[in-house]
Amino acid sequence: MTPAVIGRMSAGTLPGLAGKVVFNTGAARGIGHAMSHAFVRHGARLMLLDVDQTALGKARDALQAQFPAAEIEMCVASIADDRAVERSVAATIERFGRIDILLNNAGISMNKPSLDVTPEEWRQTIDIDLSGVFYCSQAAARRMVGQGGGVILSTASMFGLVSAARRAAYCASKAAVVSLCKTLAVEWAEHNIRVNAICPGYIRTALVDDLIARGALDEGVIERRTPLGRLGTPEEVAEMALFLASDAAAYITGHAMVADGGFTANGF
Ligand SMILES: NC(=O)c1ccc[n+]([C@@H]2O[C@H](COP(=O)([O-])OP(=O)(O)OC[C@H]3O[C@@H](n4cnc5c(N)ncnc54)[C@H](O)[C@@H]3O)[C@@H](O)[C@H]2O)c1
């Protein structure tokens, strides 16, 4: 993260985050890693999960080097494996005694003409981008119920709210995540669990860099189509997560909030 970016980010001022136990999926890179950085900066304790052990270890080590006093653990699992999710959540309870905030970040893209999508590709996208979010939410919420509440934030996408060609499985998954968040928000409000969806537009991460490199996305077209004229940064999404997880957002639940530079507001 560059000094210019860090200078724009909040530094430990949002209420109700210090000491909280955060379970963060997809934490090895991208938006997930930026969220780890943001929450640890606000005094949270972290359990990082990713399927990529090497990258996750590097991400954890980098955070620990920057915040030597922080409590940061990691577990390697696929969120598409419900039993591995349960084991990871149980390990978090064993280590920290609770889970206050679940960040459902892990996800994959699927950008391909719908006529060519194979059943395997369809299932893989739904398994990770939708079912994985449910498995993590359910496993964490079972603990949150017993501890008197919690917060669940799921990184859906602006493509959970609007659609685009060649993204059938991705858009379907992300729209379902938005709907899932609303259902869980209504159902778990009585347990003091707030559930919200985060809907980023195009954010500069490995996921988007890969699509640009493969010619599936045109960076110039995205910039011209986006009213703010640029892609977003992972840190800008992390700032929204901090707010939604904090007590500053205590009355916000069942909401899908965009950070997209105005992309979805633009009719052209
Ligand atoms: N980058 C964007 O423009 C953008 C826009 C909207 C939404 N999103 C969403 O934000 C989330 C993070 O995206 P990103 O851009 O940081 O992606 P990324 O590819 O940079 O990082 C995603 C991380 O998730 C991990 N992961 C993938 N499958 C997993 C699985 N089955 N179990 C555990 N971990 C797994 C990957 O190893 C990786 O570390 C995704 O859900 C994505 O759909 C991204």
Side-chain angles (χ1 to χ4, degrees):
M1 209 180 296
T2 65
V5 169
I6 293 170
R8 289 210 310 275
M9 300 298 132
S10 58
T13 52
L14 286 160
L17 295 176
K20 290 286 164 67
V21 177
V22 176
F23 186 94
N24 184 13
T25 76
R29 56 176 69 79
I31 294 170
H33 182 58
M35 285 195 193
S36 297
H37 194 281
F39 279 87
V40 82
R41 215 170 58 233
H42 280 73
R45 298 175 281 165
L46 303 183
M47 175 61 87
L48 312 179
L49 179 146
D50 205 285
V51 76
D52 184 338
Q53 180 166 10
T54 307
L56 184 63
K58 283 185 187 158
R60 197 263 310 262
D61 292 350
L63 278 174
Q64 198 72 72
Q66 204 172 346
F67 302 94
E71 295 177 62
I72 308 171
E73 303 289 340
M74 62 175 257
C75 53
V76 178
S78 169
I79 60 162
D81 178 345
D82 58 304
R83 280 180 290 193
V85 166
E86 173 55 30
R87 280 196 299 275
S88 304
V89 167
T92 308
I93 299 298
E94 194 163 316
R95 169 64 179 82
F96 292 114
R98 54 191 297 117
I99 294 180
D100 298 296
I101 298 165
L102 165 65
L103 304 174
N104 281 314
N105 276 303
I108 58 169
S109 72
M110 179 51 63
N111 189 308
K112 193 173 176 180
S114 296
L115 295 177
D116 300 334
V117 172
T118 66
E120 290 72 27
E121 288 168 333
W122 175 267
R123 274 194 292 271
Q124 185 196 27
T125 312
I126 301 292
D127 284 352
I128 297 173
D129 287 356
L130 174 57
S131 301
V133 172
F134 179 70
Y135 301 147
C136 293
S137 300
Q138 187 189 52
R142 283 178 172 154
R143 277 69 177 192
M144 290 173 178
V145 167
Q147 69 192 28
V151 175
I152 297 174
L153 301 180
S154 298
T155 306
S157 170
M158 68 176 176
F159 288 127
L161 303 172
V162 298
S163 293
R166 298 188 314 279
R167 294 164 177 81
Y170 186 79
C171 289
S173 301
K174 296 301 189 179
V177 167
V178 170
S179 178
L180 176 64
C181 287
K182 292 184 182 190
T183 302
L184 300 181
V186 172
E187 192 172 333
W188 293 342
E190 65 170 309
H191 300 298
N192 194 32
I193 300 172
R194 293 192 296 108
V195 188
N196 290 295
I198 286 174
C199 298
Y202 285 106
I203 307 298
R204 185 108 242 172
T205 67
L207 182 146
V208 162
D209 284 342
D210 178 55
L211 291 171
I212 291 171
R214 286 196 279 123
L217 285 182
D218 183 323
E219 191 173 356
V221 169
I222 295 170
E223 286 171 351
R224 284 191 294 280
R225 171 71 176 70
T226 303
L228 286 183
R230 62 175 175 86
L231 279 72
T233 67
E235 292 75 23
E236 288 169 328
V237 182
E239 286 292 306
M240 190 161 82
L242 281 175
F243 166 69
L244 286 173
S246 78
D247 291 346
Y251 202 52
I252 301 177
T253 196
H255 185 57
M257 190 176 279
V258 294
D260 67 353
F263 192 104
T264 52
N266 187 0
F268 281 103

